[in-house]
Amino acid sequence: FLLIFITFICVSWMESQCRHTTGPRINNDRLYKFTYSTEVFIDRVKGLPEDSVGYRISSGVDVNLVWRNPNNDDDQLIQIMIKDVKIENVNECPAAKNIFKGKHSENIIGKEYLSALQRPVVLQWTRGKIKNFYSYKNEPAVIQNLKRGLASLFQIQLHSGAAREVDVSGKCNVTYHARESQVTKIKALGTCEIEKTGFTSHNELLDVSTKVTSATVYVLEDSFIKSVRAEENHVLSLNFRQATNAKIVSKQKLELKSTETGPRVIAGKQVASVINTLDSNYIAVALVAEPVKNECKNCPSISEHWQAIRKQLEPENLAKAEATRSFLSFIQNLREAKKEEILHILRSEKNEVLPQLVDAVTSAQTPASLEAMLEFLDFKNGSSSVLQERFLYACGFASHPNELLLKSLTNRLQGQIGNSEIRETVTIIIGALVKKLCDKGGCKLPAVVRAKKLILGGLDRAKKEDDVKMYLLAMKNALLPEAIPLLLKYAESGEGPISNIAATALQRYNTSFITSEVKETMNRIYHQNHKIYEKTLRITAAAIIFSNNPSYMEVKNLLLSIGELPLEMNKYMLSLVQDILRFEMPASKMIRKVLKDMVVHNYDRFSKTGSSSAYSGYVTRGPDASSTYSLDILYSGSGILRSSNMNILLFNKNAQLHASQVVIEAQGLESIIAASADEGEENLESFAGMSAILLDVQLRPVAFFQGYGDLMSKMFSATGDPMNVVKGLILLTDYSQVIQLQSGLKASAEFQGGLAIDISGGMEFSLWYRESKTSVKNRGAVVVVGNIFVDSFFVKAGMETSFETEATLNFISTVQFSEYPFLVCMQMDKIESPFRQYVTKYESLPSGKRYISRKGKVKLLAGSEYPLHQENSNMCRKVFSTQSDFSNSWF
């Protein structure tokens, strides 16, 4: 009995080993006749199958055994030949929409390509795995890839388990599930190693997310393949608006129809000699797909394209969506242009559209476009600063900056620059590029190391106040962890603007970098332990403490200070605390805990009057992304604006983007109305200016006036026109990927989003009416275009999905200081704006025959005035009532 049991165990083990080591086999001297089809569908994610575009390539496939290893029955050479090729619509459609009607395969593919497609390939097939793929040299890549796609269906194992195998998609992780006569293969497409081209956007919120699946089901009969069905899905969607999406579905089907007598096998022991006997022109080639370069047919030259869109990019048209759409299309063409072609356009253009042309050329982000810009711009010449600044800002907003760009700007900074403002801008933008490259894991790149050393060392050695501010602004963009000690030093011991820049730089760091040392410094600044500080610096210190996990005692001390502060700062701090509680910010839990202490929470402390305020609210709330705004206004005790800070943040559950910040600051203006300055601000020079952050990039601040003489001069010559802070065209979303389909076809997915932006601000001051007014106007047009297509050279199918909108957001703050308490009215409103979406689907042949379907949807987004606190609404009614009284009175 024991002997029988042991024998049974041994036999079972041997059977198990056999199951795990043998693979499918093909019979000698038989020809297996299959039908084969591969099809591709392109549509929106929720589109109906019958509405998708695409095409089907169908054919017969003959498979036969060429050779079997005499020492291993599972080691085989099989020949696969495609025949009777047809190309047709993927869906049934009327004759008028059928671009393939009346077209034979040879007319569509071309005689040479069709002949190449029908030349057989040979696989060395060992236990179901493809060890070698033999084909002919110098075949067109698209044809060779189609053969690879068919051959890859023969990559199989007959037992369950995980493996890493190579096919047309690359080297991928796969999982097999085997039961009886069926095997299912799940391929993890995200793990596939294959040469990749393209790029993604720097900020995840502006990028495109993808979801991919791949499954292949084999049915076996008599140890050979009876049928194969494979399907893969690629879903792409814009992160901040998931409704802008696309879906690519690729299917393959191989079915055995019959077998018949086939060619005899070739005798031999070595694979190489058998292959040579079969056809000496065969060579072993990789099974992984090779790159295919898409060449644009009948596309306009770069000069023709520029002339066609030039009018849309004139300054008066910049706020329109058509300008942004033209900007995006021109970038696509610029990416194929040579340096000499780009230089020719730049040198032949007039001044009014040159800034927009500079935006487009720089945003192309190719070596040719960068070389053209650096050759075109003469940084030694200080008179062309407008174009130089547009180039530098476009570099700062780069969607996928590289080491070459940073190296080029660093070289310029260390060379001769004719304009001091341009030198400052170059330094600031170098900081922005360091941050972007570090975010992508490039902190140790030689150009990044050099740039970090340059700005860190520059700040450490700077003696002049302007140089210190310049390097601090670069640090505000770079956000280097190693810069924190320097920023703390300047925040605590610097003077005026220097301390402010250092503190606002610290405010931009992630919570993980705000250590106890940072918070201790901020507490010393706020509570003025060692010296007197300006109010603007103290409220920044308070904001840093509140935003970074404040302790019980930190919050308690901040709240206890209310009532002991200068009048308007009392009101501001009270408003800030109320805003944190109302908006449920992270610090709200700790504040509520502290407020249970009646020493802190009493009527005297929380009934302080004044006009300063802090308020936050939602611009939009949605499932994909939300947007918030915040308005912080601080006045001096005499009623003159001290600072106005407007922020707009975009965020979703994974990422955040500081879309914009506009800060207007004024100081030293009390002497104009014979008022007293607040404590610590008695000797400040008269100044008003504006600083902006756009798309996470700190821009160079601009001054309205500096010094009493400049103030008087501009007061008497003022036109009331706003000062431009930033104006131009910006590439927001920039996503381009080539997707290798397992059929052998390649899909291209491109999403570009552009923004035409015009931010201006101004400050008006009337001694006659004892009134000041600050305004910030944000005008812009946003266009996002997604183009997804499959181009096999002989047929192209695709879809373009897009949306566009034009918007204006105004912020106005009016102060009347004819009496105390003075009247303050803040207004933030959005103008009515259009929102348009389009979907275009197309199929085309090289002959020019095409099918196009267009659908669009337009709606009007209502204008609105964003709510602020009730106290502000009451004040605005009084301000407008007073203005009405003035207009009806005699001079």
Side-chain angles (χ1 to χ4, degrees), residues 44 91 115 217 233 236 281 337 352 385 388 416 440 483 523 527 602 678 696 714 719 747 777 819 839 869:
R44 290 176 296 163
N91 290 313
S115 175
V217 178
N233 291 267
L236 304 102
N281 291 316
E352 67 267 17
S385 61
Q388 292 168 17
Q416 186 180 344
K440 293 294 184 181
N523 275 292
H527 296 293
N602 59 62
D678 291 341
D696 271 334
K714 287 179 177 171
T719 62
K777 189 171 189 177
E819 57 183 272
V839 175
H869 44 82

Side-chain angles (χ1 to χ4, degrees), residues 17-30:
Q17 288 300 103
C18 287
R19 281 201 303 272
H20 284 256
T21 55
T22 60
R25 295 178 186 175
I26 184 169
N27 290 325
N28 295 18
D29 307 334
R30 302 299 295 171

Side-chain angles (χ1 to χ4, degrees), residues 508-574:
R508 297 192 69 201
Y509 278 83
N510 187 278
T511 300
S512 59
F513 295 105
I514 305 301
T515 61
S516 57
E517 182 186 1
V518 175
K519 290 206 283 183
E520 284 167 10
T521 305
M522 293 302 108
N523 275 292
R524 288 196 298 271
I525 290 172
Y526 178 81
H527 296 293
Q528 304 189 119
N529 293 42
H530 296 158
K531 59 183 282 192
I532 303 297
Y533 294 98
E534 295 178 30
K535 294 192 299 293
T536 49
L537 178 61
R538 294 178 71 189
I539 64 173
T540 301
I544 292 172
I545 296 166
F546 274 132
S547 301
N548 293 280
N549 304 317
S551 68
Y552 182 91
M553 284 310 298
E554 283 174 335
V555 172
K556 184 174 182 178
N557 287 335
L558 286 173
L559 296 185
L560 284 173
S561 72
I562 299 173
E564 310 299 326
L565 305 168
L567 190 66
E568 284 298 323
M569 190 173 169
N570 270 330
K571 178 60 177 173
Y572 175 83
M573 286 299 295
L574 179 59

Side-chain angles (χ1 to χ4, degrees), residues 458-464 468-469 472 483-503 506 525 531 533 537:
L459 179 58
D460 208 25
R461 293 187 300 270
K463 302 299 180 188
K464 296 179 182 177
V468 173
K469 288 193 287 186
L472 283 173
I484 289 175
L486 272 173
L487 294 174
L488 289 174
K489 169 190 153 187
Y490 281 105
E492 189 168 18
S493 60
E495 297 294 332
I498 289 177
S499 295
N500 267 321
I501 296 170
L506 288 165
I525 290 172
K531 59 183 282 192
Y533 294 98
L537 178 61

Side-chain angles (χ1 to χ4, degrees), residues 309 311-330 728-730 752-757 779-785 802-808 833-838 858-859:
I309 66 164
K311 187 169 181 60
Q312 277 81 45
L313 298 183
E314 290 176 353
E316 60 270 22
N317 297 325
L318 269 189
K320 298 176 182 175
E322 190 57 41
T324 315
R325 193 175 279 274
S326 299
F327 165 71
L328 293 177
S329 68
F330 191 49
L729 294 155
I730 300 170
Q752 266 78 40
L755 169 68
I757 187 76
R779 296 171 66 231
V782 176
V783 176
V784 176
V785 180
S802 67
F803 72 86
E804 61 187 41
T805 186
E806 298 158 8
T808 301
S833 58
F835 183 86
R836 298 178 281 264
Q837 341 175 208
Y838 305 100
V858 181
K859 62 180 177 180

Side-chain angles (χ1 to χ4, degrees), residues 218 279 351 529 721 728:
Y218 296 85
D279 190 333
N351 287 337
N529 293 42
D721 294 334

Side-chain angles (χ1 to χ4, degrees), residues 468-488:
V468 173
K469 288 193 287 186
M470 175 180 75
Y471 286 114
L472 283 173
L473 288 165
M475 291 300 176
K476 191 173 178 179
N477 271 334
L479 298 181
L480 299 171
E482 56 266 44
I484 289 175
L486 272 173
L487 294 174
L488 289 174

